[in-house]
Amino acid sequence: MDPATVTAVDAASARVLADGMSGPDPVFPSTLKADREAFTARHPKVTADAEGARILRSVLMKPESELYVERLHDRVERLTRALAKE
């Protein structure tokens, strides 16, 4: 993502969410809307070209989900690597 922008982060998060849910090995990540100020406070090098961005976040609701963490993390990494290659 060069140059890094709030809009690009939002689009990437939306794409990972959509691709993850529709793929052959579905995952259902959660997103959180971060407003411009909150986002750029944590990532000052990102150009604030929008009011905010959806960001991916981890949400595991049940203790037994702990057994799925490694597989889930691997799947999300594969989704983001595929996006980065485009």
Side-chain angles (χ1 to χ4, degrees), residues 1-81:
M1 202 179 324
D2 193 351
T5 64
V6 169
T7 301
V9 171
D10 183 75
S13 295
R15 177 77 182 273
V16 169
L17 180 66
D19 289 355
M21 292 188 303
S22 64
D25 183 15
V27 293
F28 300 90
S30 179
T31 59
L32 172 72
K33 183 77 172 194
D35 67 27
R36 177 195 331 238
E37 292 76 24
F39 191 91
T40 56
R42 290 170 180 82
H43 305 283
K45 294 182 180 179
V46 175
T47 301
D49 65 339
E51 291 300 313
R54 286 169 287 185
I55 57 173
L56 296 174
R57 65 185 188 138
S58 175
V59 178
L60 297 174
M61 304 294 282
K62 300 176 183 177
E64 55 270 19
S65 297
E66 183 177 1
L67 302 174
Y68 189 66
V69 170
E70 191 172 321
R71 182 172 177 209
L72 177 63
H73 188 263
D74 178 63
R75 180 70 177 113
V76 172
E77 279 188 330
R78 285 185 281 134
L79 288 164
T80 57
R81 280 195 301 268

